[in-house]
Amino acid sequence: MPSDLSPIDKAKFVAAKQASLYVEDGMKVGLGTGSTAAWLVKCLGERVQDDGLKIKGVPTSSRTAALAREVGIEVMSLDEARWLDITIDGADEYDGNLNLIKGGGGALLQEKIVATASDQMVVIADASKSVETLGGFPLPLEVVPFGWQTTKTLIEETLIGMDVLGRKVSLRMNGEAPFYTDEGNHILDLHLNRIGNARQLSLVVNQIPGVVENGLFIDICDIVVIGHGDGRVEMRDINEGMVQEARHDFIETDNLFADLND
């Protein structure tokens, strides 16, 4: 791959490269959404093309599905797959217990469904996504369009009793129009600054009429693969209580990574 990437893109690439090694021949693989997950799809595509890896991918968005097909990965639906061997995805934040905030790309509902239908979830991230306490990144909630302003008011009232530092709620926009998810829903972003009890908040907000799902992934992630701009990679396994390290070198070449601008 080109060696003139920015440090953050190098970190994303080496994390994706390392995470792709968890995938074995014959696996059914959940494919995440977002810039880091796009690197993963490219890495798997390279293995499909160069090594003859045979896998079936279950994408978490239409964008990921299109990219997977482009790089030669066979795509199937979750209904066809029923259950997955592994899901690999990015995260907007992760804490020391590998709890996550996801949904910055607007695909949190499909991402959570796919992740929980997998034997294992591996998260790929750069070191900047590590936090002591979740909440610095706005927490996305997927809500149905019908009565969304009422839903927003109910969320704001509910947050008064929660252990959070901020309570601003905003409708995610796509230019001048509201953003729509692949399921035809809106996203409300909760600017909380700090979430004192993520488990409680996740349970409470999901009880609000109109809320489909939230972007807190609690007790779902098994391994986080953390990339660094110098090629170093850390693998933290929450189940085994292990931390391992690896390194990937950057070489100047012209291959399928050259057009990745996500």
Side-chain angles (χ1 to χ4, degrees):
M1 62 168 294
S3 60
D4 58 350
L5 294 172
S6 68
I8 193 73
D9 280 336
K10 286 183 177 180
K12 290 179 179 181
F13 165 70
V14 295
K17 187 76 170 178
Q18 185 67 36
S20 72
L21 301 180
Y22 287 97
V23 177
E24 300 175 1
D25 210 48
M27 278 188 169
K28 291 180 285 187
V29 183
L31 303 173
T33 295
S35 60
T36 309
W39 285 108
L40 180 276
V41 174
K42 290 281 190 176
C43 288
L44 289 176
E46 188 177 58
R47 290 187 61 195
V48 168
Q49 294 181 26
D50 295 349
D51 304 331
L53 179 71
K54 291 180 172 56
I55 59 173
K56 294 182 178 179
V58 175
T60 55
S61 69
S62 56
R63 287 169 288 158
T64 298
L67 180 59
R69 292 189 180 98
E70 179 184 324
V71 299
I73 298 173
E74 182 179 348
V75 170
M76 67 190 313
S77 70
L78 183 58
D79 286 334
E80 292 172 315
R82 301 293 294 274
W83 195 260
L84 307 178
D85 297 288
I86 190 171
T87 287
I88 306 177
D89 203 349
D92 299 303
E93 285 186 346
Y94 65 89
D95 67 14
N97 295 316
L98 304 195
N99 294 316
L100 320 170
I101 286 182
K102 288 181 51 56
L108 68 96
L109 176 59
Q110 292 189 14
E111 288 174 335
K112 188 175 281 191
I113 292 172
V114 168
T116 54
S118 305
D119 287 336
Q120 186 178 54
M121 184 190 189
V122 176
V123 162
I124 47 181
D126 61 85
S128 69
K129 304 297 175 64
S130 175
V131 297
E132 284 192 20
T133 305
L134 298 175
F137 189 90
L139 174 64
L141 269 61
E142 186 156 339
V143 302
V144 296
F146 176 80
W148 73 265
Q149 294 195 58
T150 299
T151 302
K152 177 176 178 289
T153 299
L154 291 171
I155 293 168
E156 290 168 338
E157 292 176 351
T158 299
L159 289 176
I160 294 173
M162 296 288 100
D163 184 7
V164 295
L165 288 183
R167 295 195 295 271
K168 179 184 176 184
V169 181
S170 61
L171 176 68
R172 187 176 299 183
M173 304 296 289
N174 182 16
E176 298 297 317
F179 174 88
Y180 282 90
T181 69
D182 280 356
E183 298 298 321
N185 295 318
H186 290 329
I187 296 284
L188 292 177
D189 289 309
L190 279 55
H191 304 266
L192 307 176
N193 301 322
R194 176 186 175 277
I195 300 172
N197 190 330
R199 190 182 306 275
Q200 179 191 48
L201 181 63
S202 178
L203 292 171
V204 169
V205 295
N206 273 16
Q207 300 304 310
I208 298 172
V211 174
V212 181
E213 190 53 81
N214 70 81
L216 287 166
F217 283 51
I218 310 296
D219 298 333
I220 296 176
C221 175
D222 299 289
I223 297 170
V224 62
V225 180
I226 307 151
H228 299 269
D230 62 359
R232 290 181 299 114
V233 188
E234 294 176 56
M235 294 80 75
R236 299 181 188 174
D237 188 321
I238 193 70
N239 299 312
E240 300 294 334
M242 294 172 51
V243 178
Q244 297 177 299
E245 293 189 359
R247 176 179 289 276
H248 293 275
D249 295 324
F250 300 97
I251 58 175
E252 191 71 38
T253 185
D254 182 19
N255 62 15
L256 54 76
F257 294 97
D259 62 351
L260 184 56
N261 295 314
D262 189 353

